Amino acid sequence: MTDPAPQATQSPPTPPAPHPHDPLTADEVTRSVAAVRADGRLPEGSLFATVEVAEPTRAEMADFRAGTPLERTIRIVALPGPGASVVEIEVRLSDGAVVGWTERDDVRPALLYDDAYRSILALKEHPDWQAAMVRRGITDFEQVQIDPWPTGSFDNPAEEGQRITRCLSYWRQDPSDNGYARPVEGVLATVDAARGEVLEVVDHGLVPLAPERGSYLPEHNGPLRTDLRALEITQPDGVSFTLEGNLLTWQHFTLRVSVTPLEGLVLHDVGWVDDDGTTRTILHRAAVSEMVVPYGDPDPMHNWKNAFDVGEWGLGRMLNSLTLGCDCLGEITYLDAVVASEHGHPHVVEHAVCIHEEDYGILWKHTDMNTGRAEVRRSRRLVVSFFATVGNYDYGFFWYFYLDGTIQLEAKLTGIMSTKGIPEGGTADHASVIAPGLAAPVHQHLFCTRLDVAVDGPVNEVLEVAFAGEERGPDNPLGNAIGRRVTRLATEQAARRDVDAASSRHWRIVNPGRTNGLGQPVAYKLVPSATPTLLAHPDSSVGRRAGFARHNLWVTPYRPDERRPAGDYPNQHTGGAGLPEWTAADRSLVDEEIVVWHTFGVTHNPRPEDWPVMPVEYCGFHLVAAGFFDRNPALDLAPPDHCH
Ligand SMILES: [Cu+2]
């Protein structure tokens, strides 16, 4: 007897119920843009800088959980013309009504692809730029790569009322060349990007093109190693997480995942589900909300370079489509992301967010010296990550969740450094020689993570903890005492703080209204890495514009419209917006719902080994349960079953 033919008895899976944190869909882009066009107020040819979900506030989410359905609203930043004006529009999806319309002058969104293309096309046709190329022996202009940059703000009259790019040129003898290997040093152009008009081409003087092509391609770097054997990661029983829509659950963790045009990956409603099914909240929302790459070389070709890769470019607009086996290894689950083109069309980035589990060595271990019995538990982490390519650099952002409740953000810095040509055999102040005739300026990468915290409830406060050796005295006769200083950061200005590794300074995010089984207020602690702050002069352009990077910690009372630490529109902004502006009011942080902002990063002193492509450099921070539980929450892990 043969087996009966399989029957199609399974009903199709029920789609998850709609949720306010669901990611933007293609249909929502199409419908909201159509509603804006139908409204008629935007002129023909207007561009759409960003299209995103207008996220509900904390109060609205509380209503939603209480059973009130939420309206879904889409927020659009449109550019009605070639100047420095935007329109912020809100469209209610249920009936397509335009419910918000705010015209704002003298602000610019992130640099548009359209503006970048216009800058390149205009410059290539400009006689001054062409003459500068010919002076360097470059006559085939197709061989020149032009990189338009946001210009910053330098009191240049050309910046007024316009969308400006500054353009750098690089020679690629062959299209497969690494453009950054041969900067066309000395030639700096300023372009009215929206109108495609070259405003200025400055030639700071000839520097010979660097001799090497700087290829990182395998065909130019052989013979390739052949002695690495296969390393397979398999999970024969499947993964231990579930993904339903964008609701991710793994071990005790629950969270939602979405993507915004500027921040890229956003985490919502991160919580810990107790054994009794109660969800204890940790983070209401978390994302890298701004970053800046200030270059530290006073050379006039490079002294204006300060890339705000969130607000001037948009990590979500630059998302990579990840590939299995290359970007991600093992049992991988992907989420696609929808972004809108500048012409208002939806575009699906496939495999934009990678979700998987990784073995992470030992979580805990002890060998009882009396009995000889060893107990060991493996650590494993859930990884939620994405990569964005912003011009020459590539950034990965990896959120890790661990079995003991720890949450980590790791930024991975790779790609190609911004370079400058130097005379062969020469040296460079404020820069490192990385190849013959080639240097890379010293620079920083400073990331600001907005942590909308809700540790075991909405009202939290921050305590700074630091340690110091105490003076000898009657209470400390041996001089061994380590004093623990705990300071409540009660106002915004008191909460502008920097790391201090020598005192193990860190910050406890406490819910003063909840205690653990030992009677202590429940808390997570923010453990910073050895991270710098902004080194540019406070009165410099970037010193004013990237105020968020001048301190590692900021705390503000929760305000739904305070989302961007350098302000909503950092492109060509003169500075002062965002965290410095808000915290000047020195608002109280007591009995408040609060937001913790953490700036971390690296000061990059370029190495020859960073050339021609940079091995990943890591930076980030940890959020560690610190009295959130009554004991090690991972005692219930089963011992590994294949010890031998
Ligand atoms: Cu760098």
Side-chain angles (χ1 to χ4, degrees):
M1 189 176 155
T2 56
D3 287 339
Q7 302 284 313
T9 51
Q10 277 189 329
S11 52
T14 319
H19 190 275
H21 294 318
D22 283 344
L24 182 71
T25 68
D27 177 58
E28 289 173 339
V29 173
T30 305
R31 285 164 57 204
S32 56
V33 169
V36 171
R37 290 215 162 101
D39 176 89
R41 273 179 282 180
L42 274 188
E44 194 72 23
S46 294
L47 294 174
F48 298 89
T50 51
V51 178
E52 62 187 305
V53 177
E55 292 176 25
T57 64
R58 281 183 174 218
E60 287 165 343
M61 280 306 292
D63 289 348
F64 170 76
R65 292 200 181 87
T68 310
L70 270 190
E71 282 285 356
R72 180 93 158 165
T73 303
I74 303 299
R75 182 177 290 143
I76 294 175
V77 174
L79 287 142
S85 301
V86 305
V87 189
E88 297 169 338
I89 306 164
E90 292 202 334
V91 178
R92 188 171 59 205
L93 281 175
S94 58
D95 58 359
V98 174
V99 294
W101 188 280
T102 307
E103 295 178 14
R104 294 188 59 175
D105 289 330
D106 202 27
V107 297
R108 293 128 184 109
L111 179 56
L112 299 181
Y113 287 108
D114 266 32
D115 284 5
Y117 290 136
R118 262 193 294 273
S119 303
I120 294 167
L121 295 177
L123 195 54
K124 283 208 171 175
E125 290 181 358
H126 197 269
D128 292 355
W129 179 85
Q130 292 182 350
M133 293 302 119
V134 170
R135 277 198 291 281
R136 289 157 174 84
I138 300 170
T139 52
D140 181 356
F141 304 137
E142 290 305 304
Q143 290 181 331
V144 183
Q145 165 192 333
I146 293 176
D147 279 18
W149 280 57
T151 57
S153 170
F154 295 95
D155 297 327
N156 179 344
E159 296 163 0
E160 294 278 328
Q162 309 194 93
R163 305 205 299 268
I164 306 296
T165 56
R166 276 213 179 91
C167 296
L168 298 169
S169 304
Y170 301 89
W171 185 54
R172 290 184 185 231
Q173 187 172 21
D174 182 87
S176 68
D177 280 358
N178 173 355
Y180 304 101
R182 286 160 170 163
V184 183
E185 197 64 27
V187 183
L188 185 57
T190 307
V191 183
D192 177 339
R195 297 183 181 87
E197 291 171 13
V198 176
L199 301 172
E200 184 182 50
V201 178
V202 178
D203 193 336
H204 291 285
L206 297 183
V207 178
L209 290 166
E212 294 180 358
R213 65 194 302 201
S215 176
Y216 51 87
L217 302 176
E219 57 267 36
H220 303 140
N221 285 285
L224 302 179
R225 297 184 203 188
T226 56
D227 50 355
L228 280 175
R229 295 190 179 153
L231 194 161
E232 303 283 351
I233 296 169
T234 58
Q235 293 186 275
D237 303 327
V239 298
S240 309
F241 59 84
T242 62
L243 183 68
E244 205 184 331
N246 72 334
L247 175 62
L248 182 57
T249 54
W250 178 75
Q251 293 295 298
H252 289 271
F253 278 109
T254 173
L255 62 145
R256 286 181 184 270
V257 177
S258 73
V259 166
T260 69
L262 298 181
E263 300 156 303
L265 178 62
V266 178
L267 309 181
H268 308 268
D269 292 346
V270 179
W272 178 274
V273 184
D274 273 340
D275 287 332
D276 65 5
T278 314
T279 298
R280 301 174 68 193
T281 59
I282 302 168
L283 295 164
H284 180 249
R285 187 184 191 279
V288 176
S289 292
E290 194 50 89
M291 58 171 287
V292 64
V293 188
Y295 285 81
D297 190 334
D299 176 341
M301 272 296 287
H302 302 275
N303 61 4
W304 54 273
K305 286 158 61 177
N306 303 298
F308 289 66
D309 288 342
V310 174
E312 290 183 338
W313 289 103
L315 299 174
R317 299 169 71 226
M318 310 279 167
L319 282 175
N320 287 185
S321 193
L322 302 169
T323 53
L324 186 60
C326 293
D327 292 300
C328 323
L329 203 57
E331 287 294 324
I332 305 295
T333 300
Y334 288 109
L335 277 176
D336 298 343
V338 171
V339 294
S341 78
E342 290 158 16
H343 298 270
H345 305 300
H347 169 60
V348 179
V349 181
E350 291 182 342
H351 295 183
V353 177
C354 170
I355 302 169
H356 74 288
E357 294 172 282
E358 283 178 356
D359 181 89
Y360 196 61
I362 305 295
L363 178 64
W364 61 261
K365 174 177 172 105
H366 182 61
T367 302
D368 185 319
M369 298 284 278
N370 288 334
T371 64
R373 177 168 172 171
E375 288 292 334
V376 59
R377 300 294 181 273
R378 300 291 306 172
S379 179
R380 189 188 295 199
R381 61 189 187 185
L382 176 71
V383 189
V384 185
S385 70
F386 77 109
F387 251 93
T389 300
V390 189
N392 52 299
Y393 256 102
D394 299 74
Y395 295 102
F397 296 93
F398 284 60
W399 288 95
Y400 300 119
F401 299 86
Y402 294 86
L403 297 165
D404 67 344
T406 297
I407 301 168
Q408 179 188 358
L409 175 62
E410 183 175 73
K412 301 189 182 190
L413 287 59
T414 181
I416 305 178
M417 294 180 295
S418 188
T419 51
K420 64 184 285 188
I422 58 168
E424 216 175 323
T427 57
D429 290 338
H430 307 99
S432 306
V433 178
I434 54 168
L438 193 68
V442 170
H443 59 278
Q444 298 188 286
H445 303 258
L446 296 165
F447 307 89
C448 186
T449 307
R450 181 179 183 272
L451 298 167
D452 186 350
V453 295
V455 175
D456 221 359
V459 175
N460 288 176
E461 62 184 30
V462 178
L463 306 178
E464 177 169 295
V465 182
F467 303 89
E470 292 184 347
E471 292 296 319
R472 285 179 97 127
D475 295 334
N476 182 24
L478 302 185
N480 67 306
I482 300 172
R484 184 167 50 192
R485 297 192 307 268
V486 179
T487 311
R488 185 195 215 187
L489 304 181
T491 70
E492 289 179 302
Q493 288 187 21
R496 296 174 174 183
R497 303 294 294 163
D498 299 326
V499 299
D500 178 35
S503 71
S504 297
R505 182 182 290 170
H506 62 272
W507 299 287
R508 287 173 70 93
I509 303 157
V510 173
N511 184 330
R514 289 278 171 82
T515 50
N516 63 18
L518 304 171
Q520 305 158 338
V522 296
Y524 258 74
K525 63 177 177 178
L526 168 57
V527 184
S529 57
T531 175
T533 50
L534 184 71
L535 294 170
H537 194 282
D539 293 336
S540 66
S541 174
V542 71
R544 295 190 306 271
R545 299 175 63 229
F548 71 86
R550 292 177 54 205
H551 294 292
N552 297 117
L553 185 83
W554 305 70
V555 188
T556 56
Y558 169 79
R559 298 288 183 272
D561 54 344
E562 293 181 0
R563 294 189 304 160
R564 311 286 314 292
D568 287 340
Y569 299 100
N571 193 0
Q572 289 184 241
H573 196 277
T574 53
L579 282 169
E581 183 182 335
W582 307 325
T583 58
D586 203 20
R587 295 169 293 190
S588 171
L589 303 172
V590 177
D591 293 330
E592 289 283 350
E593 299 179 7
I594 58 169
V595 175
V596 174
W597 311 73
H598 178 43
T599 302
F600 67 91
V602 297
T603 301
H604 188 175
N605 185 22
R607 309 173 295 156
E609 292 87 346
D610 291 332
W611 183 256
V613 64
M614 185 182 155
V616 167
E617 180 160 3
Y618 303 89
C619 56
F621 65 90
H622 289 76
L623 291 166
V624 179
F628 192 79
F629 304 111
D630 297 343
R631 60 186 63 79
N632 180 345
L635 295 177
D636 57 351
L637 287 177
D641 56 7
H642 15 248
C643 306
H644 50 79

